[in-house]
Amino acid sequence: TATALKMASKAFGLLRSYISRGPSEAQLAARESLPRLQTIPYSHYCELARWALERAGVGHHESTHLPALGFRVADLRGNAHLSETGSFPGDATHTGKDAIRRRRTAVPCLVFPDGRVLRDSRDILDAALPGRLEPALWASLDTELAPAARLVAYHHLLREYGSFSGLVERCGHPVERLVYWALGERLIVPRMRATMGIDEERCEAATRVVRAAFSAYSERLESRPAGSVAAGEQLAKEDLAWASLAGILVVPPTYGGRRWFDEERGHSALMPRAEELPRGLRALCEELRDTAAGRHVLRVYAAHRM
């Protein structure tokens, strides 16, 4: 076992060297005079940042990686740009080595040609789009809905690995796909489960949080004027934030926008179709789509995301 661990560690070291080779993300941003957005493509936090930048017309290059392979963003962050907020698994108040390691690979992360780094989806949202986002609403999205949605989605997708491997095939680079083919189910997935604390009991608790969040937002929508989300140019910052962070469980076909839309499938490459989801996740998706808050997600995506 010790020998196997040593070999795995050496293999990951070689993999890191290969993926991190060449100019850094900051150097590439300066060389290309173009901001670079670090993402896990299907992440709902990354969708929020990506959509905000696209909505604001901020040109950028999206530099993607799959979970456990965020070596380039780790090199970019170092100790100087650690995330301090909720866009990563684990508690930001923890200061141990493992927590610091998680924050170093947290995404989204945006580096500008002048070297500035925005470390979190909220920072990117505020930099891209004007307008106020109610603090209490953001706190509920960032610390309740979004982490719970992530845990629920991963629990179901990782339990039926075929569903997750489909995402890997559609949005992973060839080297990453090879790594996941060799090590995904045996090594990477168990580590993901351990890092995010994913198990049946926590999934049930997170599902209750999700349902409560959708119920609360449905009530919030009742107090808004009818048709307040128009099909034209107007899109409130709140609507973009809610739709992005809730979308991972509602599965709108245009999730990820034009770049990630698969014309052949007629659907986002970043999501299985609703009917392709694992049974438990599909049932939850259908339940959430039938709420006012879920219908709002689908309406916002249909009107504004392509």
Side-chain angles (χ1 to χ4, degrees), residues 83-105:
S83 176
E84 296 167 353
T85 49
S87 301
F88 63 96
D91 185 346
T93 62
H94 289 179
T95 56
K97 287 184 179 179
D98 192 46
I100 291 173
R101 207 159 36 236
R102 295 176 196 172
R103 297 211 297 277
R104 189 167 284 142
T105 58

Side-chain angles (χ1 to χ4, degrees), residues 11 32 40 106 142 198 273 275 284:
E32 298 166 3
I40 293 173
D142 189 41
I198 298 173
R273 294 187 187 90
E275 61 270 21
L284 180 61

Side-chain angles (χ1 to χ4, degrees), residues 69-256:
L69 303 179
F71 305 128
R72 290 188 69 85
V73 70
D75 291 341
L76 168 64
R77 284 186 181 276
N79 289 319
H81 303 295
L82 293 183
S83 176
E84 296 167 353
T85 49
S87 301
F88 63 96
D91 185 346
T93 62
H94 289 179
T95 56
K97 287 184 179 179
D98 192 46
I100 291 173
R101 207 159 36 236
R102 295 176 196 172
R103 297 211 297 277
R104 189 167 284 142
T105 58
V107 288
C109 181
L110 181 69
V111 57
F112 290 92
D114 63 6
R116 288 179 299 133
V117 176
L118 297 182
R119 302 172 292 180
D120 182 76
S121 57
R122 178 62 190 275
D123 295 338
I124 297 168
L125 174 65
D126 287 342
L129 296 176
R132 182 175 180 271
L133 192 57
E134 190 178 304
L137 173 64
W138 175 254
S140 69
L141 293 177
D142 189 41
T143 63
E144 296 173 13
L145 171 66
R150 174 173 51 202
L151 192 150
V152 170
Y154 268 133
H155 174 73
H156 289 283
L157 291 170
L158 297 180
R159 184 169 59 181
E160 295 186 24
Y161 187 69
S163 298
F164 185 67
S165 64
L167 287 180
V168 170
E169 284 298 314
R170 289 193 297 272
C171 63
H173 294 303
V175 171
E176 293 180 323
R177 294 200 298 267
L178 179 61
V179 171
Y180 267 76
W181 174 80
L183 302 173
E185 196 166 7
R186 290 175 294 172
L187 182 64
I188 298 176
V189 166
R191 182 163 181 78
M192 289 171 65
R193 284 186 167 280
T195 297
M196 289 183 274
I198 298 173
D199 58 30
E200 193 73 41
E201 183 177 349
R202 288 188 178 95
C203 179
E204 290 175 1
T207 302
R208 290 193 291 271
V209 171
V210 166
R211 287 182 172 131
F214 272 72
S215 176
Y217 201 76
S218 292
E219 291 180 10
R220 182 182 180 90
L221 289 170
E222 290 178 1
S223 65
R224 292 176 55 172
S228 60
V229 180
E233 289 300 314
Q234 299 303 313
L235 176 62
K237 196 172 185 176
E238 172 184 322
D239 295 312
L240 190 151
W242 168 260
S244 299
L245 296 179
I248 195 171
L249 295 179
V250 178
V251 194
T254 54
Y255 184 93

